Structures are given as C-alpha cells and as structure tokens.
Amino acid sequence: MTSPAPILVGNIGNLFWMRVDGKGSFQNSVQVKRCFQTMIEKGTRHFVVDLERCPIMDSTFLGTLTGAALNLREIGDGEVCILNANARNRQLLSSLGLDHILDVDNDGSRHQVERKQVCDELGKCNENASPDKVEQAEHVLEAHEALTKANEANASRFKDVIEFLEKEVRSRAVAVA
C-alpha cells in the first residue's frame, strides 16, 4: 500500500488552512478528522481545505470533510470552505449534494490575500499517529454516515458500505474486548 498523501496545515489570518498534497483518502482522513477536532476544541471556526494538489477524493475523505462541516453547524458557527477543487472534485461534491454543506469556491474569488501567504506558512499536520484497525473502521463508518446525514439521497448509495462497516466495527470491538 502506498503511503497517505501529506496534509499541510497552518493558520493564515483568522483561517485554519489545510492543503491536501495528493489523494484525499481513507488513509489520511483520520489525520484530517483529528486535526479538525483539535482546532474546533481550541475555538477555531473558519477552515479552508485547499485541493489545488488533490487530484481526487474518496468517499471516506468526503465524509470526513462533511462531518467537520456538520459539527460546526451543530455548534452554530463556522464554515469549511473548499478552494481550488478541480472539475472532478467539484463534480463529486455536487453529485453527493455536499456543495450545500461545504462552502465550495467555484470561481476562485474567496480568500485572495490568504492564498498569497499560504506557501510560506504551511507545515505538516502533527496528527501523525496511525490509527489502529478499530479506529480506522469506526472512522470510515462515521464518514459514510455523515454523507447520508448531509444528503438523504446518499443513503441508498452508501447503504451496503454502512452495513458492512457496522458489522466490521462490531466484530473488531468484540475481538478487542
């Protein structure tokens, strides 16, 4: 298996900026989730996910971004803004109905000043500890549940995946106990 794409992060003005340097996938989505959780706990409410170097995202990664946006909605404040998405990623966001949950910048007009600062400011995310198999399975399940919560039409798309993952999580929990 190839190593997960690095996630670069930093504060740019009042924004927490996250750049995906490769494929957004289940392999780096736990790291992204932990990063969002840490920053939300610290009071950060405005996030940018920069997809300029991200050719594609899988459903787990998309669910992770969606879960963060839904958490901010529950808090009642904040946003997850998607910048520099290529046509394929924009189509994924749109077809899953996530462009109503995530603030997708389609015309490149958002955060112009911060875009110029970003290259000098980003460093690797410190949430590097690899998840164990139970945490990974639980995370993939949560990500897919977030996709169905964000858009009811996604329930039929991910029904089988969710059922499989629920069984997987139960069996792994029993094996650990």
Side-chain angles (χ1 to χ4, degrees):
M1 187 177 348
T2 61
S3 60
I7 306 297
L8 303 176
V9 298
N11 287 308
I12 309 295
N14 69 341
L15 302 171
F16 186 80
W17 202 282
M18 182 181 296
R19 176 182 282 159
V20 184
D21 245 359
K23 181 179 180 183
S25 74
F26 72 95
Q27 291 181 300
N28 54 12
S29 61
V30 171
Q31 175 187 18
V32 168
K33 175 185 172 185
R34 290 175 183 165
C35 194
F36 272 117
Q37 288 174 331
T38 299
M39 297 312 296
I40 289 171
E41 287 171 8
K42 289 181 177 182
T44 300
R45 297 294 181 261
H46 300 285
F47 295 86
V48 169
V49 179
D50 185 346
L51 300 178
E52 182 176 18
R53 299 178 185 167
C54 178
I56 189 70
M57 299 176 284
D58 70 13
S59 58
T60 301
F61 194 87
L62 287 161
T64 302
L65 299 180
T66 303
L70 291 172
N71 286 343
L72 290 168
R73 278 190 177 187
E74 288 175 15
I75 292 169
D77 184 28
E79 67 177 345
V80 177
C81 182
I82 306 296
L83 298 184
N84 301 317
N86 62 30
R88 188 172 184 182
N89 285 332
R90 282 193 311 271
Q91 190 276 329
L92 282 169
L93 292 162
S94 177
S95 69
L96 293 173
L98 305 180
D99 51 351
H100 300 289
I101 303 296
L102 300 163
D103 180 12
V104 181
D105 177 36
N106 287 316
D107 63 4
S109 64
R110 299 282 312 268
H111 308 297
Q112 291 296 317
V113 172
E114 294 86 352
R115 286 176 195 241
K116 293 175 183 165
Q117 296 173 325
V118 79
C119 291
D120 296 331
E121 301 291 330
L122 296 182
K124 284 198 175 176
C125 181
N126 290 329
E127 307 291 337
N128 288 331
S130 297
D132 61 28
K133 290 181 180 187
V134 173
E135 182 182 12
Q136 183 71 44
E138 288 173 344
H139 170 69
V140 173
L141 174 61
E142 289 171 9
H144 284 83
E145 289 172 337
L147 290 172
T148 62
K149 185 177 179 182
N151 183 352
E152 289 181 20
N154 292 333
S156 62
R157 289 181 175 137
F158 298 112
K159 179 182 182 289
D160 293 338
V161 173
I162 290 172
E163 286 176 4
F164 171 80
L165 290 168
E166 287 172 340
K167 289 176 187 173
E168 181 75 10
V169 167
R170 280 194 302 269
S171 70
R172 289 192 185 274
V174 169
V176 171

